[in-house]
Coordinates of all heavy atoms in Angstrom, one line a residue:
Q1 N -22.4 -2.8 -8.7 CA -22.6 -4.2 -8.7 C -22.0 -4.8 -7.4 O -20.9 -4.6 -7.2 CB -22.1 -4.8 -10.0 CG -22.0 -6.3 -10.0 CD -21.6 -6.7 -11.4 OE1 -21.6 -6.0 -12.3 NE2 -21.1 -8.0 -11.4
P2 N -22.8 -5.5 -6.7 CA -22.2 -6.1 -5.4 C -21.1 -7.1 -5.7 O -21.1 -7.8 -6.7 CB -23.4 -6.9 -4.8 CG -24.6 -6.3 -5.5 CD -24.2 -5.8 -6.9
L3 N -20.1 -7.1 -4.9 CA -18.9 -7.9 -5.0 C -19.3 -9.4 -5.2 O -18.7 -10.1 -6.0 CB -18.0 -7.7 -3.9 CG -16.6 -8.4 -4.0 CD1 -15.9 -8.0 -5.2 CD2 -15.8 -8.1 -2.7
H4 N -20.3 -9.9 -4.4 CA -20.6 -11.3 -4.4 C -21.3 -11.7 -5.7 O -21.5 -12.9 -6.0 CB -21.6 -11.6 -3.2 CG -22.9 -11.1 -3.3 ND1 -23.2 -9.8 -3.0 CD2 -24.1 -11.6 -3.8 CE1 -24.5 -9.5 -3.2 NE2 -25.0 -10.6 -3.7
T5 N -21.6 -10.8 -6.7 CA -22.1 -11.2 -7.9 C -21.1 -11.1 -9.1 O -21.5 -11.4 -10.2 CB -23.4 -10.3 -8.3 OG1 -22.9 -8.9 -8.4 CG2 -24.4 -10.4 -7.2
L6 N -19.9 -10.7 -8.8 CA -18.9 -10.5 -9.9 C -18.7 -11.8 -10.7 O -18.5 -11.7 -11.9 CB -17.6 -10.0 -9.4 CG -17.5 -8.6 -8.9 CD1 -16.2 -8.3 -8.4 CD2 -17.9 -7.6 -10.0
H7 N -18.8 -12.9 -10.1 CA -18.5 -14.2 -10.8 C -19.7 -14.5 -11.7 O -19.6 -15.4 -12.6 CB -18.4 -15.3 -9.8 CG -19.6 -15.7 -9.0 ND1 -20.1 -14.9 -8.0 CD2 -20.5 -16.7 -9.2 CE1 -21.3 -15.4 -7.6 NE2 -21.5 -16.5 -8.3
Q8 N -20.8 -13.8 -11.7 CA -21.9 -14.1 -12.5 C -21.9 -13.4 -13.8 O -22.9 -13.5 -14.6 CB -23.2 -13.8 -11.7 CG -23.4 -14.6 -10.5 CD -24.6 -14.2 -9.6 OE1 -25.1 -13.1 -9.9 NE2 -24.9 -14.9 -8.6
C9 N -20.9 -12.6 -14.1 CA -20.9 -11.9 -15.4 C -19.5 -12.0 -16.0 O -18.6 -12.4 -15.3 CB -21.3 -10.4 -15.2 SG -20.4 -9.6 -13.8
G10 N -19.4 -11.7 -17.2 CA -18.1 -11.8 -17.9 C -17.9 -10.7 -18.9 O -18.7 -9.8 -19.0
P11 N -16.8 -10.8 -19.6 CA -16.4 -9.8 -20.6 C -17.5 -9.6 -21.7 O -17.6 -8.5 -22.2 CB -15.1 -10.3 -21.2 CG -14.6 -11.3 -20.3 CD -15.8 -11.9 -19.5
E12 N -18.3 -10.6 -21.9 CA -19.3 -10.4 -23.0 C -20.3 -9.4 -22.6 O -21.1 -8.9 -23.4 CB -20.0 -11.7 -23.3 CG -20.8 -12.3 -22.1 CD -19.9 -13.2 -21.2 OE1 -18.7 -13.3 -21.4 OE2 -20.5 -13.7 -20.2
W13 N -20.4 -9.0 -21.3 CA -21.3 -8.0 -20.9 C -20.9 -6.6 -21.3 O -21.6 -5.7 -21.5 CB -21.4 -8.0 -19.3 CG -22.3 -9.0 -18.8 CD1 -22.5 -10.3 -19.3 CD2 -23.1 -8.9 -17.6 NE1 -23.3 -11.0 -18.5 CE2 -23.7 -10.2 -17.4 CE3 -23.3 -8.0 -16.7 CZ2 -24.6 -10.5 -16.4 CZ3 -24.1 -8.2 -15.6 CH2 -24.8 -9.5 -15.5
G14 N -19.6 -6.4 -21.6 CA -19.0 -5.2 -22.1 C -19.1 -4.1 -21.0 O -19.4 -4.3 -19.8
P15 N -18.8 -2.8 -21.4 CA -18.7 -1.7 -20.5 C -20.0 -1.5 -19.7 O -20.0 -1.0 -18.6 CB -18.3 -0.5 -21.3 CG -17.9 -1.1 -22.6 CD -18.5 -2.5 -22.8
E16 N -21.1 -1.8 -20.3 CA -22.4 -1.6 -19.6 C -22.5 -2.4 -18.3 O -23.4 -2.2 -17.5 CB -23.6 -1.8 -20.5 CG -23.8 -3.2 -21.0 CD -22.9 -3.6 -22.2 OE1 -22.2 -2.8 -22.7 OE2 -23.0 -4.7 -22.6
G17 N -21.7 -3.5 -18.2 CA -21.7 -4.3 -17.0 C -21.0 -3.6 -15.8 O -21.1 -4.1 -14.7
L18 N -20.2 -2.6 -16.1 CA -19.4 -1.9 -15.1 C -20.0 -0.5 -14.9 O -20.6 0.1 -15.8 CB -18.0 -1.8 -15.5 CG -17.2 -3.1 -15.8 CD1 -15.8 -2.8 -16.4 CD2 -17.1 -3.9 -14.5
S19 N -19.9 0.0 -13.7 CA -20.4 1.4 -13.5 C -19.5 2.3 -14.3 O -18.3 2.1 -14.6 CB -20.3 1.7 -12.0 OG -19.0 1.8 -11.6
E20 N -20.1 3.5 -14.6 CA -19.3 4.5 -15.3 C -18.2 5.0 -14.4 O -17.1 5.3 -14.8 CB -20.2 5.6 -15.7 CG -19.5 6.7 -16.6 CD -18.8 6.2 -17.9 OE1 -19.3 5.2 -18.5 OE2 -17.8 6.7 -18.2
E21 N -18.5 5.1 -13.1 CA -17.5 5.6 -12.1 C -16.5 4.5 -11.8 O -16.9 3.5 -11.3 CB -18.2 6.1 -10.9 CG -17.3 6.7 -9.8 CD -16.7 8.0 -10.2 OE1 -17.3 8.7 -11.1 OE2 -15.7 8.4 -9.7
P22 N -15.2 4.7 -12.0 CA -14.2 3.7 -11.7 C -14.1 3.5 -10.2 O -14.4 4.4 -9.4 CB -12.9 4.2 -12.3 CG -13.1 5.6 -12.4 CD -14.6 5.9 -12.6
P23 N -13.7 2.3 -9.7 CA -13.5 2.1 -8.3 C -12.4 2.9 -7.8 O -11.5 3.3 -8.6 CB -13.2 0.6 -8.2 CG -12.8 0.2 -9.6 CD -13.4 1.1 -10.5
R24 N -12.4 3.2 -6.5 CA -11.3 4.1 -6.0 C -10.0 3.4 -6.0 O -9.0 4.1 -6.2 CB -11.7 4.4 -4.5 CG -10.7 5.3 -3.9 CD -11.2 5.8 -2.5 NE -12.1 6.8 -2.8 CZ -12.7 7.5 -1.8 NH1 -12.4 7.3 -0.6 NH2 -13.6 8.5 -2.1
Y25 N -9.9 2.1 -5.8 CA -8.7 1.4 -5.8 C -8.3 0.9 -7.2 O -9.0 0.0 -7.7 CB -8.7 0.3 -4.8 CG -7.4 -0.4 -4.5 CD1 -6.3 0.4 -4.1 CD2 -7.2 -1.7 -4.6 CE1 -5.0 -0.1 -3.9 CE2 -5.9 -2.3 -4.4 CZ -4.9 -1.5 -4.0 OH -3.7 -2.0 -3.8
A26 N -7.3 1.4 -7.8 CA -6.9 1.1 -9.2 C -6.6 -0.4 -9.4 O -6.9 -0.9 -10.6 CB -5.8 2.0 -9.6
K27 N -6.1 -1.1 -8.5 CA -5.8 -2.5 -8.7 C -7.0 -3.3 -9.1 O -6.9 -4.3 -9.9 CB -5.1 -3.1 -7.5 CG -3.8 -2.5 -7.1 CD -2.8 -2.6 -8.3 CE -1.5 -1.9 -8.0 NZ -0.7 -1.6 -9.2
L28 N -8.2 -2.9 -8.6 CA -9.4 -3.6 -9.0 C -9.7 -3.4 -10.5 O -10.1 -4.3 -11.2 CB -10.6 -3.1 -8.2 CG -11.9 -3.8 -8.3 CD1 -11.8 -5.3 -8.0 CD2 -12.9 -3.2 -7.4
M29 N -9.4 -2.2 -11.0 CA -9.5 -1.9 -12.4 C -8.6 -2.8 -13.2 O -9.0 -3.3 -14.3 CB -9.2 -0.4 -12.7 CG -10.3 0.5 -12.2 SD -10.0 2.2 -12.7 CE -8.8 2.7 -11.5
H30 N -7.4 -3.0 -12.8 CA -6.4 -3.9 -13.5 C -6.9 -5.3 -13.5 O -6.8 -6.0 -14.5 CB -5.0 -3.8 -12.8 CG -4.3 -2.6 -13.0 ND1 -3.6 -2.3 -14.1 CD2 -4.1 -1.5 -12.1 CE1 -3.0 -1.1 -14.0 NE2 -3.3 -0.6 -12.8
C31 N -7.6 -5.7 -12.5 CA -8.1 -7.1 -12.4 C -9.2 -7.2 -13.6 O -9.2 -8.2 -14.3 CB -8.8 -7.4 -11.1 SG -7.6 -7.5 -9.8
F32 N -10.1 -6.3 -13.7 CA -11.1 -6.3 -14.7 C -10.4 -6.3 -16.1 O -10.8 -7.1 -17.0 CB -12.1 -5.1 -14.6 CG -13.1 -5.3 -13.6 CD1 -13.1 -4.7 -12.4 CD2 -14.2 -6.2 -13.9 CE1 -14.1 -4.9 -11.5 CE2 -15.2 -6.4 -12.9 CZ -15.2 -5.7 -11.7
R33 N -9.4 -5.5 -16.3 CA -8.8 -5.4 -17.6 C -8.1 -6.7 -17.9 O -8.2 -7.2 -19.1 CB -7.7 -4.3 -17.6 CG -7.1 -4.1 -19.0 CD -6.0 -3.1 -19.1 NE -4.9 -3.7 -18.3 CZ -3.9 -3.0 -17.9 NH1 -3.8 -1.7 -18.1 NH2 -2.9 -3.5 -17.2
H34 N -7.4 -7.3 -17.0 CA -6.7 -8.6 -17.2 C -7.7 -9.7 -17.4 O -7.3 -10.7 -18.0 CB -5.7 -8.9 -16.2 CG -4.5 -7.9 -16.2 ND1 -3.6 -7.9 -17.2 CD2 -4.1 -7.0 -15.3 CE1 -2.7 -7.0 -17.0 NE2 -3.0 -6.4 -15.9
A35 N -8.9 -9.6 -16.9 CA -9.9 -10.6 -17.1 C -10.6 -10.5 -18.4 O -11.5 -11.3 -18.8 CB -10.9 -10.5 -16.0
G36 N -10.2 -9.4 -19.2 CA -10.8 -9.3 -20.5 C -12.0 -8.3 -20.7 O -12.6 -8.3 -21.7
W37 N -12.3 -7.6 -19.6 CA -13.4 -6.7 -19.7 C -13.0 -5.5 -20.6 O -11.8 -5.1 -20.6 CB -13.7 -6.2 -18.3 CG -14.5 -7.1 -17.5 CD1 -14.0 -8.3 -16.9 CD2 -15.9 -7.1 -17.1 NE1 -15.0 -8.9 -16.2 CE2 -16.1 -8.2 -16.3 CE3 -16.9 -6.1 -17.3 CZ2 -17.4 -8.4 -15.8 CZ3 -18.1 -6.4 -16.7 CH2 -18.4 -7.5 -16.0
K38 N -13.9 -4.9 -21.3 CA -13.7 -3.7 -22.0 C -14.0 -2.6 -21.1 O -15.1 -2.4 -20.6 CB -14.6 -3.7 -23.3 CG -14.4 -4.8 -24.2 CD -14.4 -4.3 -25.6 CE -14.2 -5.5 -26.6 NZ -13.0 -6.2 -26.5
L39 N -13.0 -1.7 -20.9 CA -13.1 -0.6 -19.9 C -13.5 0.7 -20.7 O -13.0 1.0 -21.7 CB -11.8 -0.4 -19.2 CG -11.3 -1.7 -18.4 CD1 -10.0 -1.4 -17.7 CD2 -12.3 -2.2 -17.5
S40 N -14.3 1.5 -20.0 CA -14.7 2.8 -20.6 C -13.5 3.7 -20.5 O -12.5 3.5 -19.8 CB -15.8 3.4 -19.8 OG -15.4 3.7 -18.5
A41 N -13.6 4.8 -21.2 CA -12.5 5.8 -21.2 C -12.3 6.4 -19.8 O -11.1 6.7 -19.4 CB -12.9 7.0 -22.2
T42 N -13.3 6.5 -19.0 CA -13.2 7.0 -17.7 C -12.3 6.0 -16.9 O -11.5 6.5 -16.1 CB -14.6 7.1 -17.0 OG1 -15.4 7.9 -17.8 CG2 -14.5 7.7 -15.7
W43 N -12.6 4.7 -17.0 CA -11.8 3.8 -16.3 C -10.3 3.8 -16.8 O -9.4 3.7 -16.0 CB -12.3 2.4 -16.5 CG -13.5 2.1 -15.6 CD1 -14.6 2.8 -15.5 CD2 -13.7 0.9 -14.8 NE1 -15.5 2.2 -14.6 CE2 -15.0 1.1 -14.2 CE3 -12.9 -0.2 -14.5 CZ2 -15.5 0.1 -13.3 CZ3 -13.4 -1.1 -13.6 CH2 -14.7 -1.0 -13.0
R44 N -10.1 3.8 -18.1 CA -8.8 3.8 -18.6 C -8.0 5.0 -18.2 O -6.8 5.0 -17.8 CB -8.8 3.8 -20.2 CG -9.2 2.4 -20.7 CD -9.0 2.2 -22.2 NE -9.5 3.3 -23.0 CZ -10.8 3.3 -23.4 NH1 -11.6 2.4 -23.1 NH2 -11.2 4.3 -24.2
K45 N -8.6 6.2 -18.1 CA -8.0 7.4 -17.6 C -7.6 7.3 -16.2 O -6.5 7.7 -15.8 CB -8.9 8.6 -17.8 CG -8.3 9.9 -17.4 CD -9.3 11.1 -17.5 CE -8.6 12.3 -16.9 NZ -9.6 13.4 -16.9
A46 N -8.5 6.7 -15.4 CA -8.2 6.5 -14.0 C -7.0 5.5 -13.7 O -6.5 5.5 -12.6 CB -9.4 6.0 -13.2
M47 N -6.7 4.7 -14.7 CA -5.6 3.7 -14.5 C -4.2 4.3 -14.8 O -3.2 3.7 -14.6 CB -5.8 2.5 -15.4 CG -7.0 1.7 -15.0 SD -7.3 0.3 -16.1 CE -5.8 -0.7 -16.0
R48 N -4.2 5.6 -15.3 CA -2.9 6.2 -15.5 C -2.1 6.3 -14.2 O -2.7 6.5 -13.1 CB -3.0 7.6 -16.1 CG -3.7 7.6 -17.5 CD -3.7 8.9 -18.1 NE -4.4 9.9 -17.3 CZ -4.9 11.0 -17.7 NH1 -4.8 11.4 -19.0 NH2 -5.4 11.9 -16.8
P49 N -0.8 6.1 -14.3 CA 0.0 6.1 -13.0 C -0.2 7.3 -12.1 O -0.4 7.1 -10.9 CB 1.5 6.1 -13.5 CG 1.4 5.4 -14.9 CD 0.1 5.9 -15.5
S50 N -0.3 8.5 -12.6 CA -0.6 9.6 -11.7 C -1.9 9.5 -11.0 O -2.1 9.9 -9.9 CB -0.5 10.9 -12.5 OG -1.5 11.0 -13.5
E51 N -2.9 9.0 -11.8 CA -4.3 8.9 -11.2 C -4.3 7.7 -10.2 O -5.0 7.8 -9.2 CB -5.3 8.6 -12.3 CG -5.5 9.7 -13.3 CD -5.9 11.0 -12.6 OE1 -6.8 11.0 -11.7 OE2 -5.4 12.1 -13.0
E52 N -3.5 6.7 -10.4 CA -3.4 5.6 -9.5 C -2.8 6.1 -8.1 O -3.3 5.7 -7.1 CB -2.6 4.4 -10.0 CG -3.3 3.6 -11.0 CD -2.5 2.3 -11.2 OE1 -2.3 1.5 -10.3 OE2 -2.1 2.1 -12.4
R53 N -1.8 6.9 -8.2 CA -1.2 7.4 -7.0 C -2.2 8.2 -6.2 O -2.3 8.1 -5.0 CB 0.0 8.2 -7.3 CG 1.2 7.4 -7.6 CD 2.5 8.2 -7.7 NE 2.5 9.1 -8.8 CZ 2.9 8.8 -10.1 NH1 3.3 7.5 -10.3 NH2 2.9 9.7 -11.0
K54 N -3.0 9.1 -6.9 CA -4.0 9.9 -6.2 C -5.1 9.0 -5.6 O -5.5 9.2 -4.5 CB -4.7 10.8 -7.2 CG -3.8 12.0 -7.7 CD -4.6 12.8 -8.7 CE -3.8 13.7 -9.5 NZ -4.5 14.4 -10.5
A55 N -5.5 8.0 -6.3 CA -6.5 7.1 -5.8 C -6.0 6.3 -4.6 O -6.7 6.2 -3.6 CB -6.9 6.1 -6.9
F56 N -4.8 5.9 -4.6 CA -4.2 5.1 -3.5 C -4.2 6.0 -2.3 O -4.5 5.6 -1.1 CB -2.8 4.6 -3.8 CG -2.3 3.8 -2.6 CD1 -2.8 2.5 -2.3 CD2 -1.3 4.3 -1.9 CE1 -2.3 1.8 -1.3 CE2 -0.8 3.6 -0.8 CZ -1.3 2.3 -0.5
K57 N -3.7 7.3 -2.4 CA -3.7 8.2 -1.3 C -5.1 8.5 -0.8 O -5.3 8.6 0.4 CB -3.0 9.5 -1.8 CG -1.5 9.4 -1.9 CD -0.9 10.7 -2.4 CE 0.6 10.5 -2.7 NZ 1.2 11.7 -3.2
A58 N -6.1 8.5 -1.7 CA -7.5 8.7 -1.2 C -7.9 7.5 -0.4 O -8.7 7.7 0.6 CB -8.4 9.0 -2.4
V59 N -7.5 6.3 -0.8 CA -7.9 5.1 -0.1 C -7.4 5.1 1.3 O -8.1 4.9 2.3 CB -7.5 3.8 -0.9 CG1 -7.6 2.6 0.0 CG2 -8.3 3.6 -2.1
I60 N -6.1 5.4 1.4 CA -5.5 5.3 2.7 C -5.9 6.5 3.7 O -5.7 6.4 4.9 CB -3.9 5.2 2.7 CG1 -3.3 6.4 2.0 CG2 -3.5 3.9 2.0 CD1 -1.8 6.4 2.1
R61 N -6.5 7.5 3.1 CA -7.0 8.6 3.9 C -8.5 8.4 4.3 O -9.1 9.1 5.1 CB -6.9 9.9 3.2 CG -5.5 10.5 3.2 CD -5.5 11.9 2.7 NE -6.1 12.1 1.4 CZ -5.4 12.2 0.3 NH1 -4.1 12.2 0.3 NH2 -6.1 12.3 -0.8
S62 N -9.1 7.4 3.7 CA -10.6 7.2 3.9 C -10.9 6.7 5.3 O -10.1 5.9 5.9 CB -11.1 6.2 2.8 OG -10.7 4.9 3.1
P63 N -12.0 7.0 5.8 CA -12.4 6.5 7.2 C -12.5 5.0 7.2 O -12.2 4.4 8.2 CB -13.7 7.2 7.5 CG -14.1 8.0 6.3 CD -13.0 7.9 5.3
Q64 N -12.9 4.4 6.1 CA -13.0 2.9 6.1 C -11.7 2.2 6.2 O -11.5 1.3 6.9 CB -13.7 2.4 4.8 CG -15.1 2.9 4.6 CD -15.2 4.3 4.0 OE1 -14.3 5.0 3.8 NE2 -16.4 4.6 3.6
W65 N -10.7 2.8 5.5 CA -9.3 2.2 5.6 C -8.7 2.4 6.9 O -8.1 1.5 7.5 CB -8.4 2.8 4.5 CG -7.0 2.3 4.5 CD1 -5.9 2.9 5.0 CD2 -6.6 1.0 4.0 NE1 -4.8 2.0 4.9 CE2 -5.2 0.9 4.3 CE3 -7.3 0.0 3.4 CZ2 -4.5 -0.2 3.9 CZ3 -6.5 -1.2 3.1 CH2 -5.2 -1.2 3.3
T66 N -8.9 3.6 7.5 CA -8.4 3.9 8.8 C -9.0 3.0 9.8 O -8.3 2.5 10.7 CB -8.7 5.4 9.2 OG1 -8.1 6.2 8.2 CG2 -8.1 5.8 10.5
A67 N -10.3 2.8 9.8 CA -11.0 1.9 10.7 C -10.4 0.4 10.6 O -10.2 -0.3 11.5 CB -12.5 1.9 10.5
F68 N -10.2 0.0 9.3 CA -9.7 -1.3 9.1 C -8.3 -1.5 9.7 O -8.0 -2.5 10.4 CB -9.6 -1.6 7.6 CG -8.8 -2.9 7.2 CD1 -9.3 -4.1 7.5 CD2 -7.5 -2.7 6.7 CE1 -8.5 -5.3 7.2 CE2 -6.8 -3.8 6.4 CZ -7.3 -5.1 6.7
M69 N -7.4 -0.5 9.4 CA -6.1 -0.6 9.9 C -6.0 -0.5 11.4 O -5.2 -1.2 12.1 CB -5.2 0.5 9.3 CG -4.9 0.3 7.8 SD -4.1 -1.3 7.5 CE -2.6 -1.2 8.4
D70 N -6.9 0.3 12.0 CA -7.0 0.3 13.5 C -7.4 -1.1 14.1 O -6.8 -1.5 15.0 CB -8.0 1.4 14.0 CG -7.5 2.8 13.8 OD1 -6.3 3.0 13.5 OD2 -8.4 3.7 13.8
A71 N -8.4 -1.7 13.4 CA -8.8 -3.0 13.9 C -7.7 -4.1 13.7 O -7.4 -4.9 14.5 CB -10.0 -3.4 13.1
Y72 N -7.0 -4.0 12.5 CA -5.9 -4.9 12.2 C -4.8 -4.7 13.2 O -4.3 -5.7 13.8 CB -5.4 -4.6 10.8 CG -4.2 -5.4 10.4 CD1 -4.3 -6.8 10.1 CD2 -2.9 -4.9 10.4 CE1 -3.2 -7.6 9.8 CE2 -1.8 -5.6 10.1 CZ -1.9 -7.0 9.8 OH -0.9 -7.7 9.5
R73 N -4.4 -3.5 13.5 CA -3.3 -3.3 14.5 C -3.7 -3.8 15.9 O -2.9 -4.4 16.6 CB -2.9 -1.8 14.5 CG -2.2 -1.4 13.3 CD -1.7 0.1 13.4 NE -1.1 0.5 12.1 CZ -1.7 1.4 11.3 NH1 -2.9 1.9 11.5 NH2 -1.1 1.7 10.1
R74 N -4.9 -3.5 16.3 CA -5.4 -4.0 17.6 C -5.4 -5.5 17.6 O -5.0 -6.1 18.6 CB -6.8 -3.5 17.8 CG -7.3 -3.7 19.2 CD -8.6 -3.0 19.5 NE -9.7 -3.3 18.5 CZ -10.1 -2.4 17.6 NH1 -9.6 -1.2 17.6 NH2 -11.1 -2.7 16.8
F75 N -5.8 -6.2 16.5 CA -5.7 -7.7 16.4 C -4.3 -8.2 16.6 O -4.1 -9.1 17.4 CB -6.3 -8.1 15.1 CG -6.1 -9.6 14.8 CD1 -6.9 -10.5 15.5 CD2 -5.2 -10.0 13.9 CE1 -6.7 -11.9 15.3 CE2 -5.0 -11.3 13.7 CZ -5.7 -12.3 14.4
I76 N -3.4 -7.6 15.9 CA -2.0 -8.0 16.0 C -1.5 -7.8 17.4 O -0.8 -8.7 18.0 CB -1.1 -7.2 15.0 CG1 -1.5 -7.6 13.5 CG2 0.4 -7.5 15.2 CD1 -1.3 -9.0 13.2
R77 N -1.8 -6.6 18.0 CA -1.3 -6.3 19.4 C -1.9 -7.2 20.4 O -1.2 -7.7 21.3 CB -1.6 -4.8 19.7 CG -1.1 -4.4 21.0 CD -1.3 -2.9 21.2 NE -2.8 -2.6 21.2 CZ -3.4 -1.8 20.2 NH1 -2.6 -1.4 19.2 NH2 -4.6 -1.6 20.2
E78 N -3.2 -7.5 20.3 CA -3.9 -8.3 21.3 C -3.9 -9.8 21.1 O -4.0 -10.5 22.1 CB -5.3 -7.8 21.4 CG -5.4 -6.3 21.9 CD -6.8 -5.8 21.9 OE1 -7.8 -6.6 21.6 OE2 -7.0 -4.6 22.2
E79 N -3.8 -10.2 19.9 CA -4.0 -11.7 19.6 C -2.7 -12.3 19.1 O -2.3 -13.4 19.6 CB -5.1 -11.9 18.6 CG -6.4 -11.4 19.0 CD -7.0 -12.1 20.2 OE1 -6.7 -13.3 20.4 OE2 -7.8 -11.5 20.9
V80 N -2.0 -11.7 18.2 CA -0.8 -12.3 17.6 C 0.4 -12.1 18.4 O 1.2 -13.0 18.7 CB -0.6 -11.8 16.1 CG1 0.7 -12.4 15.5 CG2 -1.8 -12.1 15.3
A81 N 0.7 -10.9 18.8 CA 1.9 -10.6 19.6 C 2.1 -11.4 20.8 O 3.2 -11.9 21.1 CB 2.0 -9.1 19.9
P82 N 1.0 -11.6 21.6 CA 1.2 -12.4 22.8 C 1.6 -13.9 22.5 O 2.3 -14.5 23.3 CB -0.2 -12.4 23.5 CG -0.8 -11.1 23.0 CD -0.3 -10.9 21.6
L83 N 1.2 -14.4 21.4 CA 1.6 -15.7 21.0 C 3.1 -15.8 20.6 O 3.7 -16.9 20.6 CB 0.7 -16.2 19.8 CG -0.8 -16.3 20.1 CD1 -1.5 -16.7 18.8 CD2 -1.0 -17.4 21.2
C84 N 3.6 -14.6 20.2 CA 5.0 -14.6 19.8 C 6.0 -14.2 21.0 O 7.2 -14.1 20.8 CB 5.2 -13.5 18.7 SG 4.3 -13.9 17.2
G85 N 5.4 -14.0 22.2 CA 6.2 -13.7 23.3 C 6.5 -12.2 23.4 O 7.3 -11.8 24.2
D86 N 5.9 -11.4 22.6 CA 6.1 -9.9 22.7 C 5.1 -9.3 23.6 O 4.0 -9.6 23.7 CB 6.0 -9.3 21.3 CG 7.2 -9.7 20.4 OD1 8.2 -10.2 21.0 OD2 7.1 -9.5 19.2

């Protein structure tokens, strides 16, 4: 489900409103749980602390995260640091 449509559904949709495959980043699962969504067994299992650690490590090794962090560091170095006198 696209991120821009999340506000259009709610807990009454139940587990069928969420994909069977949990998101890679566990904090997103926590958000759904705290918002009252009923989570499937697959999602609940993925929220266990050991699984969360594995998922976080997978996120920080992903090419998307690496590209984001490279762009962020470049922004800080080229735009922010000069304004701070560094």
Side-chain angles (χ1 to χ4, degrees):
Q1 167 174 342
L3 186 59
H4 69 277
T5 63
L6 286 179
H7 70 284
Q8 298 172 350
C9 50
E12 65 276 2
W13 281 32
E16 65 277 359
L18 301 172
S19 67
E20 185 58 33
E21 182 70 23
R24 181 172 283 184
Y25 190 56
K27 297 303 176 192
L28 187 57
M29 290 184 280
H30 287 282
C31 293
F32 278 106
R33 186 185 68 194
H34 290 294
W37 285 70
K38 300 225 183 292
L39 305 180
S40 68
T42 307
W43 281 52
R44 288 191 308 274
K45 181 181 175 189
M47 289 176 66
R48 295 186 305 198
S50 64
E51 296 300 320
E52 279 194 63
R53 284 190 292 275
K54 287 180 198 174
F56 182 73
K57 287 178 183 178
V59 167
I60 62 174
R61 285 191 305 260
S62 71
Q64 296 89 345
W65 180 258
T66 303
F68 167 75
M69 288 306 296
D70 289 345
Y72 176 75
R73 288 183 185 109
R74 189 171 52 254
F75 170 74
I76 295 298
R77 185 176 57 249
E78 295 174 5
E79 302 295 331
V80 177
L83 297 174
C84 299
D86 289 344

